[in-house]
Each structure stands twice: as structure tokens, then as C-alpha cells.
Amino acid sequence: MLKVSEDLLTKSRIAEALGTNPMRVTRFIDRNKINVVKKEGKRELYKLTDFNALKEELNSPEANKEAKSHGFSKDDYILTLKKQLEEQKLQYEQVLKSKDETISSLRETIATSQKSYDDMKDQLAVKDEQIFSLTKLTNNAQTLNLVDKDPKRIQAAHSDAETKPEQSSSSEETDDSTKKPPKKHWWQFGK
């Protein structure tokens, strides 16, 4: 500490001499209305002896307790920041865990949807087979119905189906008497 004398000092030098911070010195000046002794440019100079009351205030045990309860050291700030970082890390890990759970849930949903899709495809294949079988049965029923009504028609239908398209076209050429004249279109009427 600097010795107490009639020297003129700035606020920061006074704070250094008394072992406190410049803000506390400024508050003491405002509270006790201490006047500036001299100004050198922007610097305000005070007598150190005007701050004996502040020195006594700082040395009292109550002031030390109050300073400890209100003041934070760098270590306190570091510990506080470490705690905040640990809390943020825990929150981040919880977010990651939640994200992983969401992803696994979505994968299960996709697998279930894929299984449902495959089941639907199988059901559609069964439906197609049933339709094919039903169509066959319907054709057979119609054929049986025709046989009951007119057996000659069924023989003609079978013979027409068994003959080749070339043979049927040649038979049509020979039987011109049953053939109808070709239909005329509108552009052919002028000819």
C-alpha cells in the first residue's frame, strides 16, 4: 500500500492504495460529496486523506463480510461458467438422446408401413387370382348356358374358334351371297 500523505491521486491510484476497486472509490466520492482538488485534462485528482473514512470502512469486519458476500472472484466466475457448461452439455446430451429415440421410432414406423405395404401387395395378388378364376367360371357358365339353349351354336362357336383366321377369310370370299355390301362413308357418296 501507498503511504497516506497529502499527495494528489486519481481514483484508480486511490483504489490501489486502499486495496479496493475504482468503482467503490467513485461511489464513496458521490456518497460523501468529495470535491476534486485539481484537474489535469480529463484526470481528476483527489487528496488521499479525504478517503480515511473509506479506509476505516474497508478495514471493518462487517465490510469484509459484505465484500465477500457481494463480490465474486475470478475463481467464482470460472466455477459458475463451468457449471453452466456442464448444464448445457447435459441438455445437449438429452437433445441427442431424444433425437436418437425419434429416429428409432421413425425407423420402426417405416418398417411397419413397409410390412403393411407388402401385405397389401399380397392381398392384391390374391384378389387378381380370384378375379381370374371368377372370369373363367363365368365363361364356363355362359358356355353351359349356351349348350342348354342351342347345341348347334356351341358347335359353331367351337368350330369358329378352332379355325385359323386365314381359313375363315377364305370361306367369307366364297360365300358372297350372305355378305353385306360395304358401308359407304360421307366422302365416298360423290363417287
Side-chain angles (χ1 to χ4, degrees):
M1 281 190 171
L2 297 172
K3 61 182 182 174
V4 177
S5 67
E6 293 295 323
D7 295 336
L8 297 177
L9 301 172
T10 62
K11 291 178 191 177
S12 59
R13 289 287 183 185
I14 292 170
E16 188 178 310
L18 297 175
T20 187
N21 60 31
M23 191 64 191
R24 188 154 193 179
V25 173
T26 303
R27 279 185 262 153
F28 183 79
I29 291 170
D30 293 341
R31 186 174 66 228
N32 294 316
K33 298 180 183 165
I34 297 175
N35 294 325
V36 176
V37 177
K38 186 178 180 183
K39 278 193 172 187
E40 291 179 357
K42 291 184 178 181
R43 293 176 25 169
E44 297 176 340
L45 301 175
Y46 299 91
K47 285 184 184 179
L48 188 59
T49 53
D50 291 340
F51 294 92
N52 287 335
L54 178 61
K55 183 178 179 183
E56 291 171 10
E57 190 179 300
L58 290 171
N59 288 335
S60 73
E62 296 165 2
N64 288 337
K65 286 180 186 176
E66 186 179 329
K68 285 181 183 176
S69 68
H70 292 294
F72 286 103
S73 67
K74 289 180 184 178
D75 294 335
D76 292 337
Y77 283 124
I78 291 171
L79 289 174
T80 304
L81 289 173
K82 281 183 179 179
K83 286 179 184 177
Q84 289 175 350
L85 285 173
E86 288 174 5
E87 289 173 2
Q88 287 177 350
K89 181 181 175 184
L90 287 174
Q91 289 174 351
Y92 179 72
E93 288 172 352
Q94 289 174 348
V95 167
L96 285 178
K97 184 179 178 184
S98 172
K99 176 193 67 93
D100 291 340
E101 289 173 356
T102 303
I103 288 173
S104 64
S105 172
L106 288 173
R107 284 184 179 155
E108 289 174 7
T109 303
I110 289 171
T112 304
S113 297
Q114 183 66 38
K115 188 174 188 287
S116 297
Y117 174 74
D118 291 341
D119 289 344
M120 293 290 275
K121 279 177 72 176
D122 292 341
Q123 289 176 0
L124 282 173
V126 168
K127 178 199 63 92
D128 290 343
E129 288 176 23
Q130 289 174 345
I131 289 173
F132 181 74
S133 299
L134 200 60
T135 305
K136 260 181 152 176
L137 287 173
T138 306
N139 287 340
N140 289 341
Q142 286 176 346
T143 305
L144 287 173
N145 194 15
L146 284 175
V147 168
D148 288 344
K149 291 184 179 178
D150 191 4
K152 292 180 185 177
R153 280 190 186 172
I154 196 76
Q155 289 174 354
H158 280 298
S159 64
D160 285 345
E162 291 173 358
T163 58
K164 295 181 183 175
E166 296 170 321
Q167 292 176 347
S168 64
S169 65
S170 63
S171 65
E172 289 175 4
E173 291 173 3
T174 58
D175 192 15
D176 288 335
S177 62
T178 60
K179 213 178 197 187
K180 292 183 181 178
K183 185 176 178 182
K184 285 189 175 183
H185 296 285
W186 62 271
W187 63 84
Q188 295 173 334
F189 283 115
K191 293 182 180 178

